[in-house]
Amino acid sequence: MKKINRRRFIETSVLATGGLVLAPSLVEMLDPNSVSAHANPPDPKSLSAYDARVRALLAQMTLEEKIGQMTQAEQDALKDVNDIQKFFLGSLLSGGSSDPKAGNSLAAWTDMYDGYQTHALKTRLAIPILYGADAVHGHNNVLGAVVFPHNIGLGCTRNPKLVESAGRITAEEVRATGINWTFAPCVTVPRDERWGRTYEGFGEAPELARSLGEAAVRGLQRNDLSNPLSVLACAKHFIGDGGTKIGTASFRNPQGKRLLDQGDTQVSEAELRAIHLQGYISTVRAGVGSIMPSYSSWNGVKVSGIKKLLTDMLKQELGFEGFLISDYKAVDQITRDYKEAIGISINAGMDMVMVPTEYERFFNLLRELVNEGKVPMARIDDAVTRILRVKLAMGLMDKNRSPLADRSLHKTFGSPEHRVVARECVRQSLVLLKNEKQTLPLSKKLAHIHVGGKSADNIGNQCGGWTIDWQGKTGEVTTGGTTILKAIQSAVSAATKVTFSQDGSGAAGAQAGIVVIGELPYAEGMGDRDDLTVSQEDLTAIDNLKQAGIPVVAVLLSGRPLIINEALSRCDAFVAAWLPGTEGQGVADVLFGDYKPTGKLSFSWPRSMAQIPINVGDQNYDPLFKYGFGLTFG
Ligand code: BGC
Ligand code: BGC
């Protein structure tokens, strides 16, 4: 760490920790000027370095054992746990909402993982499983985990070191449950805010996917897959998932409309490369061990079946040595006949298939395809080589190391130390859009602050989708963490009265109002929407606060820019807080000036629905706020 900045930094970090004393390594992680942990990150060892060991193992394997390695089943679809041995399953996953049967707790997740791994170790060759989960903003499926801001917010921090730190902490919490693989980072470049997965991306500009995607991989994998605190990362969804054309979605959204998700990306190869390939160039360089091909199509053909993309571009041109894992039932979408679809995908270069439910059928069909000569044995060997390389690189087969969970990590799971880093992410992700008459920062000594809005005391709305449940949940979705209301209450002086009403009424007599508004949780195509206008309920809450004749600060919780014109003009200050996660204190840090806003928009902010799609670099670019916009105060 550079000495000159240490003192200033420690002062800020103490603010953020509320007096908590941090381990020096954590302090260093948080320091925006720290160089030691990050400068010239060593290029991770190449995966093909393990090929001699892989060849020895491969030579002993039957076709069935090889196909098993290529099969990933959803744990809650296992008909019998002995199927792990019977089908030599190489991997299991917990998809969204796939909790342990014993319930959702740290202990139950760990026991579940250990139980399945123990079965894998009973197979003839005792090859451990990779267990995958969507730890996309912290270990978000597990109650009590620290939940980080979704990527859209991290994109506004423009801070690769911080994103790397978030990745390290996420990996440590994932490892606490034994799980060794996360389907993250998402390096999508969302080009249309109507897409329900906009928040999964770091921003609309490829440079963000490139720099922050790389940082996330370096954090999750710690630049060394063999480190017991690292997890296997997965860059997704290759390629063009964020570029689909409106009206081409594979499914209808809850309003019955076919919008964007899993649709068709109708662009030239040059555009595909310039916009959608960038996050893969950098994550492959950082040694990402797995990549997930997208549900979406490229010019009418499902990506999961395109050899030119999976094999030629990714493996040959970029030199990706890890393995490809298909998306959930994505192979099924390639063509109507499932067997034919499997053949197309494996021959295109898919290495492992997220089946996820009918694993026996998949196993049998792939075996038939090989026996009929429709999938060459060389392709199977290549796929299994790639999977085994990763398992070996992770030390999963080291004699002196157990692949079971290290329960000593339970100590730091969801710990205050981890929450400090998430809080830092929150405060750096906030973007100040308006600040009339220096409304912000608010004084902590005001006699009375009235708080309103449906999301002020709602940790579920703060966290958004992919939190405990696949779709997330409004209300008390998880344990631990701080709502924005609670954060305000703990930030102000003892003499300050903080009152709250969801609809913002009853503010008379207060000196200032804070209203927390925005979207309710959603994930994937369920969030595809063609009207992103701030709701009437939210406007009413603002109006009720304004009726008291006080300055009103709006905090918007959303997975994308919304159409905010009405809300913006009625408020004195306006903060875009995205989906900040469990650490609401990071929002209060900005509202009360403990942190001067530094966040810069990761998206262009549209004036109207008619302006969408709008992206930096467009002709006649005239958004409400430009990409990169963000105010601060003195
Ligand atoms: C699963 C998710 C998955 C989705 C795919 C859900 O039932 O829980 O993990 O992403 O289906 O459509
Ligand atoms: C999503 C992926 C996710 C997978 C597993 C799919 O529906 O598209 O992002 O990793 O499910 O849950």
Side-chain angles (χ1 to χ4, degrees):
M1 187 183 307
K2 280 191 219 155
K3 273 207 190 90
I4 38 167
N5 293 308
R6 186 176 178 103
R7 170 119 173 246
R8 183 189 57 73
F9 173 68
I10 288 179
E11 281 161 9
T12 26
S13 78
V14 167
L15 276 178
T17 62
L20 183 85
V21 178
L22 297 175
S25 61
L26 260 175
V27 173
E28 187 169 333
M29 254 195 229
L30 288 171
D31 184 353
N33 300 299
S34 152
V35 285
S36 61
H38 308 279
N40 307 318
D43 269 338
K45 190 167 164 185
S46 82
L47 289 166
S48 53
Y50 295 88
D51 282 4
R53 281 177 72 191
V54 169
R55 270 192 297 274
L57 199 51
L58 202 63
Q60 301 174 55
M61 292 172 80
T62 62
L63 175 60
E64 284 73 17
E65 285 168 329
K66 291 176 184 174
I67 290 177
Q69 285 301 310
M70 297 169 69
T71 309
Q72 185 186 59
E74 161 61 67
Q75 70 81 22
D76 74 8
L78 281 178
K79 285 175 206 77
D80 180 341
V81 295
N82 295 309
D83 282 357
I84 295 174
Q85 291 130 272
K86 189 167 165 201
F87 299 104
F88 310 102
L89 295 179
S91 180
L92 292 176
L93 89 146
S94 274
S97 314
S98 164
D99 295 345
K101 290 185 184 60
N104 191 337
S105 69
L106 177 56
W109 277 91
T110 315
D111 293 344
M112 174 177 75
Y113 166 85
D114 275 356
Y116 291 140
Q117 192 63 280
T118 303
H119 275 274
L121 296 174
K122 287 185 196 151
T123 53
R124 185 176 72 102
L125 296 169
I127 303 175
I129 50 166
L130 286 169
Y131 196 107
D134 293 277
V136 295
H137 61 146
H139 198 7
N140 46 67
N141 290 295
V142 184
L143 280 177
V146 52
V147 178
F148 286 83
H150 270 297
N151 284 350
I152 190 169
L154 295 180
C156 297
T157 71
R158 299 287 200 278
N159 188 343
K161 291 171 193 164
L162 189 59
V163 171
E164 183 174 338
S165 304
R168 285 177 172 229
I169 301 234
T170 298
E172 195 175 314
E173 298 211 351
V174 171
R175 275 293 184 168
T177 55
I179 294 177
N180 46 28
W181 185 12
T182 174
F183 305 123
C186 184
V187 293
T188 183
V189 182
R191 303 292 281 178
D192 187 323
E193 285 79 13
R194 289 169 289 190
W195 192 32
R197 306 183 79 136
T198 301
Y199 66 75
E200 293 188 40
F202 292 109
E204 72 185 27
E207 65 188 19
L208 294 180
R210 196 176 169 120
S211 63
L212 301 181
E214 171 171 358
V217 168
R218 293 199 189 275
L220 291 165
Q221 297 191 166
R222 289 192 175 233
N223 272 331
D224 175 9
L225 278 171
S226 74
N227 187 315
L229 292 181
S230 74
V231 295
L232 172 62
C234 178
K236 69 186 189 185
H237 311 82
F238 179 83
I239 181 178
D241 54 346
T244 59
K245 190 174 156 56
I246 192 87
T248 64
S250 299
F251 296 98
R252 293 182 191 278
N253 73 357
Q255 290 78 44
K257 292 182 183 162
R258 216 177 264 290
L259 300 179
L260 293 149
D261 196 42
Q262 308 185 13
D264 189 20
T265 299
Q266 302 172 1
V267 299
S268 67
E269 183 172 333
E271 187 173 336
L272 195 71
R273 285 172 178 274
I275 294 176
H276 302 285
L277 185 64
Q278 298 305 310
Y280 299 95
I281 296 174
S282 63
T283 52
V284 168
R285 190 177 52 222
V288 71
S290 70
I291 293 179
M292 185 185 292
S294 180
Y295 280 122
S296 54
S297 301
W298 181 38
N299 295 328
V301 184
K302 285 285 176 185
V303 169
S304 298
I306 306 182
K307 184 161 187 241
K308 176 182 156 102
L309 298 177
L310 307 191
T311 299
D312 302 354
M313 190 183 269
L314 208 44
K315 295 179 177 177
Q316 281 164 12
E317 185 185 325
L318 296 192
F320 172 60
E321 293 184 341
F323 69 91
L324 298 178
I325 169 73
S326 66
D327 204 344
Y328 197 101
K329 286 192 184 153
V331 168
D332 310 43
Q333 293 187 20
I334 294 175
T335 183
R336 255 179 229 290
D337 182 273
Y338 187 45
K339 182 171 170 183
E340 194 187 334
I342 295 169
I344 292 173
S345 191
I346 303 294
N347 284 333
M350 197 71 77
D351 301 304
M352 186 190 279
V353 172
M354 190 185 289
V355 179
T357 50
E358 294 187 64
Y359 51 88
E360 179 169 4
R361 182 164 165 239
F362 169 81
F363 183 93
N364 290 332
L365 291 175
L366 181 53
R367 181 167 52 185
E368 280 174 34
L369 285 162
V370 177
N371 288 334
E372 291 160 9
K374 291 182 182 142
V375 170
M377 201 55 207
R379 180 70 269 278
I380 299 289
D381 284 344
D382 174 55
V384 178
T385 294
R386 289 169 174 276
I387 295 163
L388 294 179
R389 272 176 187 164
V390 170
K391 290 188 177 184
L392 286 165
M394 292 173 77
L396 281 172
M397 279 174 269
D398 285 2
K399 294 251 154 28
N400 53 2
R401 210 170 123 182
S402 164
L404 298 183
D406 172 2
R407 291 178 195 240
S408 74
L409 296 173
H410 286 194
K411 274 198 311 287
T412 53
F413 184 88
S415 64
E417 290 88 340
H418 287 183
R419 292 181 190 279
V420 166
V421 180
R423 176 177 177 175
E424 189 67 31
C425 291
V426 174
R427 51 194 213 164
Q428 293 194 27
S429 69
L430 264 45
V431 182
L432 180 61
L433 296 177
K434 175 179 179 178
N435 195 18
E436 294 278 284
K437 300 195 202 102
Q438 300 179 339
T439 304
L440 289 178
L442 294 170
S443 162
K444 292 180 180 177
K445 294 186 181 138
L446 294 177
H448 179 189
I449 297 173
H450 190 71
V451 180
K454 64 172 189 280
S455 298
D457 196 23
N458 194 312
I459 202 128
N461 292 1
Q462 258 170 243
C463 291
W466 289 110
T467 308
I468 307 303
D469 288 335
W470 178 39
Q471 293 294 319
K473 201 174 86 184
T474 188
E476 290 179 6
V477 70
T478 189
T479 51
T482 312
T483 67
I484 294 170
L485 176 64
K486 299 269 156 33
I488 292 167
Q489 285 163 339
S490 67
V492 295
S493 71
T496 305
K497 180 166 85 172
V498 177
T499 51
F500 168 63
S501 66
Q502 197 155 306
D503 69 359
S505 61
Q511 271 93 45
I514 299 171
V515 64
V516 188
I517 58 173
E519 290 190 301
L520 299 176
Y522 55 80
E524 303 188 31
M526 306 288 277
D528 276 13
R529 225 151 272 171
D530 60 2
D531 183 4
L532 299 175
T533 314
V534 165
S535 72
Q536 188 51 54
E537 179 191 6
D538 285 346
L539 293 178
T540 303
I542 296 171
D543 289 344
N544 287 342
L545 279 161
K546 274 314 282 183
Q547 260 176 28
I550 51 176
V552 171
V553 180
V555 176
L556 181 73
L557 302 186
S558 64
R560 48 194 156 187
L562 302 182
I563 305 306
I564 55 170
N565 310 32
E566 282 294 313
L568 190 70
S569 63
R570 294 178 203 195
C571 296
D572 302 274
F574 202 101
V575 177
W578 314 109
L579 298 170
T582 47
E583 302 319 298
Q585 212 67 53
V587 176
D589 290 340
V590 167
L591 298 180
F592 295 97
D594 287 334
Y595 185 81
K596 294 181 181 123
T598 51
K600 305 274 175 248
L601 287 181
S602 51
F603 280 84
S604 305
W605 203 294
R607 292 179 187 277
S608 65
M609 286 312 295
Q611 232 184 18
I612 299 175
I614 181 166
N615 293 296
V616 59
D618 286 355
Q619 283 186 338
N620 310 317
Y621 181 67
D622 182 31
L624 184 60
F625 298 107
K626 291 186 171 144
Y627 172 82
F629 179 87
L631 302 171
T632 192
F633 41 70

